Amino acid sequence: MNELSQIAEHPFYEFAIILALAAIFGIVGKSLKQPLIVMFIALGVVMGPAVLDIVKSLDNIRLLAEIGISVLLFIVGLKLDLRIIKSVGKIALLTGLGQVLFTSFFGYFIGLALGFSNLHSFYIAVALTFSSTIIIVKLLSDKKEIDSLHGQIAIGFLIVQDIVVIIMMIILSAIQKGGETSLTDDIVRTLVAGAGLIGFTFIAMKWILPKLTKYLAKTQELLILFSVAWAVALAATGEVIGFSGEVGAFLAGMSLASSDFKETISSRLVSLRDFLLLFFFVSLGADLDLSAISGQITPALYFSFFVLIGNPIIVLIIMGSMGYRKRTSFLAGLTVAQISEFSLIFAGLGLAVGHINKDVVGLITLVGLITIGLSTYLILYSHQIFNFLSPALSIFERKKVFTEDDHTSLVSKKYDVLIFGLGRFGNRLAEMLDEHTEISYLGIDFDPRIINNWRKKNRAILYGDIDDPELLEYVPYHESDIIICTIPDLELTKQLYKDLQLNNYTGKVFLTALTQNDYEELSEMGIDNLLLPHAMAASHFFEVYMTDLKISYPSN
């Protein structure tokens, strides 16, 4: 072990060992069906001072981690539609602030009940309120749920939490300086700096970036390089002005969200993001001081239970009271079932000013380990957990009011056709129905951007996720003649067909088979009306362009 530690003293060898062990841990995690995030944090613990003590270049690792965080939040901002912010801004603000207040309140009294002092209980309670934006965004991105309604709401209230973190850090920093500067001055200065950063981003988005990206797009490598530089530059600016590096990177992405090249940028940066975030999780694990954990296991279990169960319930109550369905509230609520890396930083500042001791820091560290590990599983298996708990969650849902769409007016009408999934195929089908028929139709999708676009065109659309087991309870399908599912997910498609059969639907059902294997499996179920988008596109191309084409071949 000592020899390995000595070899790792050279940064190049150290990084070689990190990457090799990361690959091994990843393979083991994949074999055991464990989330890579958990495996990489475990890797950081193993490589840290508590076990192998290999990590020597922490500054270099943290630098790569910060770039990875910037790229991650840049991509999130890149995919965020400004119209979505308008639609979820209110719920994000109220849920974010409400969760912080209620978690702090109950956490404080739990601390007192466990024998901690008033000041220690306050620090513990505040630390429990912050959730990890980085981990949640990574998990939602991996599950392809970042664009869903619950994903957008979660991102919104996580940003609210980040702003609360900034304010708390300013207060603690001012206390640490011992009156060198005015607390009010610090807060005002930071808010003014934040407003200036937002203003600069808006100006760049409106008048500078469109022409610049159009010029840079002639060379894709230059476009990608500029995107990374822009993300890191705004993140660094956010840090320098005392606002937030995370918010800076997020704003950088938002400034390019209306660009014609955002999909190209996003697709090229995903692999870079995943590689760099490895170092974030390694640094998170390596920074954990396991020596301070002994003696804190029992209170850590109580606080972890509160974070894992209490925080989601608080979000369920707030969102349910505002008219959101229990499924949306539950999936959004699970994203706050862990504490953040900022909780550890916050505890470190409290230790520096003498407000808490190493035992409290150790407690918060252990709660972080437990909640980050377990909440990863909760989010990865969120849909299965919801299906199991769904009957009990009805108490968090209002009876007739649904904020997610104009539910009552839609379900009271009769539609000839229902279209599940409004991507390229479903959207084009709707356009053809508009152009050539008088057939009435209703679209069902879970992407807020698609819903907003359809509503602007005065098309009937309902918010719904095919993965929702209660979807058919509020979709008016009984009187429709045809149901078309354009979603190319075999398991979800099969489940929809079975649910329609169980509910005695008598109309025609058209399902999408993306591959030949999907086609054969659906055919074996006795389903005749199958759509093969690629085969249909090839047939259409041949009929339109190839039938009259005459090719002459040279004679030998």
Side-chain angles (χ1 to χ4, degrees):
M1 190 177 296
N2 290 332
E3 292 178 359
L4 190 62
S5 180
Q6 289 174 0
I7 293 172
E9 288 182 1
H10 192 289
F12 181 77
Y13 299 147
E14 178 185 346
F15 276 73
I17 294 171
I18 290 174
L19 294 175
L21 288 178
I24 293 170
F25 271 63
I27 292 169
V28 172
K30 184 74 173 175
S31 302
L32 299 176
K33 297 183 179 179
Q34 303 302 305
L36 288 180
I37 286 177
V38 174
M39 299 305 296
F40 290 155
I41 293 175
L43 171 64
V45 173
V46 169
M47 298 189 67
V51 186
L52 298 179
D53 196 22
I54 295 174
V55 178
K56 305 295 182 182
S57 306
L58 263 178
D59 289 340
N60 293 333
I61 291 174
R62 286 170 183 154
L63 174 61
L64 292 174
E66 288 179 8
I67 296 173
I69 292 167
S70 298
V71 173
L72 172 72
L73 291 164
F74 173 79
I75 293 174
V76 174
L78 195 65
K79 293 183 175 182
L80 197 66
D81 195 320
L82 290 174
R83 291 166 294 186
I84 305 304
I85 296 177
K86 293 179 181 178
S87 63
V88 303
K90 180 181 177 182
I91 180 63
L93 179 63
L94 293 177
T95 305
L97 292 177
Q99 183 264 319
V100 167
L101 291 173
F102 282 110
T103 300
S104 300
F105 177 79
F106 289 114
Y108 174 76
F109 284 103
I110 292 173
L112 292 179
L114 291 173
F116 290 94
S117 68
N118 287 322
L119 188 57
H120 287 183
S121 297
F122 169 77
Y123 268 87
I124 294 168
V126 173
L128 299 183
T129 64
F130 306 140
S131 303
S132 178
T133 303
I134 298 141
I135 293 175
I136 298 307
V137 168
K138 180 70 170 66
L139 288 170
L140 291 177
S141 298
D142 290 346
K143 291 187 69 180
K144 305 292 189 293
E145 292 182 6
I146 201 78
D147 294 325
S148 65
L149 181 60
H150 69 267
Q152 296 289 320
I153 292 172
I155 296 302
F157 59 63
L158 287 171
I159 290 173
V160 172
Q161 284 187 4
D162 285 346
I163 294 172
V164 174
V165 171
I166 295 164
I167 295 173
M168 296 302 298
M169 296 294 188
I170 293 169
I171 294 172
L172 281 181
S173 297
I175 294 173
Q176 191 174 7
K177 291 174 183 175
E180 292 177 16
T181 59
S182 167
L183 176 60
T184 304
D185 289 346
D186 282 346
I187 294 176
V188 170
R189 190 183 303 113
T190 302
L191 293 178
V192 170
L197 182 62
I198 293 171
F200 169 73
T201 305
F202 177 78
I203 292 170
M205 177 175 64
K206 198 79 173 175
W207 290 288
I208 301 173
L209 293 175
K211 293 180 180 179
L212 182 58
T213 53
K214 188 175 181 180
Y215 173 75
L216 294 173
K218 296 175 182 177
T219 307
Q220 285 200 4
E221 290 82 357
L222 193 56
L223 178 65
I224 302 305
L225 176 60
F226 168 77
S227 300
V228 175
W230 180 240
V232 174
L234 258 65
T237 303
E239 290 284 356
V240 168
I241 65 177
F243 192 57
S244 167
E246 289 186 338
V247 174
F250 180 77
L251 288 173
M254 279 186 59
S255 66
L256 291 172
S258 57
S259 169
D260 295 333
F261 314 106
K262 70 174 186 177
E263 295 299 334
T264 300
I265 297 170
S266 175
S267 61
R268 290 291 190 94
L269 290 181
V270 167
S271 298
L272 177 63
R273 174 201 68 187
D274 292 341
F275 173 73
L276 291 173
L277 282 179
L278 160 67
F279 296 99
F280 165 74
F281 296 118
V282 169
S283 68
L284 183 62
D287 280 337
L288 296 176
D289 185 3
L290 301 184
S291 63
I293 287 176
S294 59
Q296 302 298 327
I297 295 176
T298 300
L301 290 175
Y302 282 112
F303 283 117
S304 297
F305 180 81
F306 171 64
V307 172
L308 290 164
I309 306 299
N311 277 359
I313 288 177
I314 290 170
V315 173
L316 268 166
I317 293 171
I318 295 172
M319 291 184 63
S321 66
M322 296 184 68
Y324 282 84
R325 294 193 185 99
K326 60 184 179 182
R327 183 173 183 274
T328 304
S329 304
F330 178 79
L331 296 179
L334 285 184
T335 63
V336 294
Q338 89 287 124
I339 68 172
S340 168
E341 63 283 354
F342 284 115
S343 302
L344 307 181
I345 297 171
F346 177 75
L349 282 174
L351 180 65
V353 298
H355 288 171
I356 58 176
N357 54 35
K358 285 189 175 181
D359 289 338
V360 176
V361 175
L363 169 64
I364 295 171
T365 299
L366 186 54
V367 172
L369 273 175
I370 295 171
T371 56
I372 289 173
L374 292 181
S375 69
T376 301
Y377 293 97
L378 293 179
I379 294 170
L380 288 176
Y381 299 101
S382 58
H383 297 284
Q384 294 91 325
I385 296 171
F386 172 78
N387 293 344
F388 179 75
L389 296 177
S390 180
L393 296 176
S394 298
I395 60 173
F396 299 107
E397 185 176 79
R398 288 165 65 177
K399 294 296 182 182
K400 296 182 180 180
V401 180
F402 292 95
T403 306
E404 297 165 24
D405 47 52
D406 189 5
H407 182 270
T408 305
S409 62
L410 289 172
V411 299
S412 61
K413 296 179 182 178
K414 177 185 179 301
Y415 299 93
D416 301 317
V417 178
L418 299 186
I419 306 173
F420 287 84
L422 305 173
R424 286 175 294 182
F425 193 2
N427 190 65
R428 180 56 185 152
L429 178 61
E431 290 176 353
M432 295 182 71
L433 289 173
D434 287 338
E435 293 171 6
H436 304 293
T437 70
E438 296 296 327
I439 294 175
S440 62
Y441 61 87
L442 173 67
I444 299 101
D445 204 283
F446 75 101
D447 189 334
R449 290 176 296 184
I450 292 176
I451 292 171
N452 285 339
N453 287 335
W454 270 50
R455 285 176 176 167
K456 283 187 174 182
K457 297 176 182 178
N458 293 319
R459 291 176 176 171
I461 185 167
L462 192 68
Y463 175 88
D465 189 340
I466 194 174
D467 201 20
D468 184 354
E470 298 178 353
L471 177 63
L472 294 182
E473 292 183 12
Y474 57 86
V475 171
Y477 67 93
H478 286 289
E479 297 184 19
S480 64
D481 299 315
I482 298 174
I483 290 178
I484 304 170
C485 179
T486 69
I487 299 169
D489 186 302
L490 179 62
E491 295 305 318
L492 295 179
T493 297
K494 287 164 60 178
Q495 190 58 51
L496 175 64
Y497 183 76
K498 291 176 183 177
D499 290 343
L500 290 170
Q501 284 186 316
L502 288 173
N503 286 277
N504 301 315
Y505 177 71
T506 57
K508 289 186 177 181
V509 180
F510 291 82
L511 303 179
T512 298
L514 193 61
T515 67
Q516 185 63 32
N517 290 337
D518 292 351
Y519 179 84
E520 292 172 0
E521 190 167 339
L522 292 171
S523 296
E524 290 174 1
M525 293 176 60
I527 304 171
D528 299 322
N529 302 317
L530 295 175
L531 307 173
L532 290 89
H534 297 159
M536 294 166 67
S539 298
H540 175 72
F541 176 79
F542 184 84
E543 291 173 4
V544 174
Y545 298 104
M546 301 296 289
T547 51
D548 296 328
L549 183 64
K550 295 179 181 179
I551 302 176
S552 59
Y553 296 93
S555 57
N556 293 330

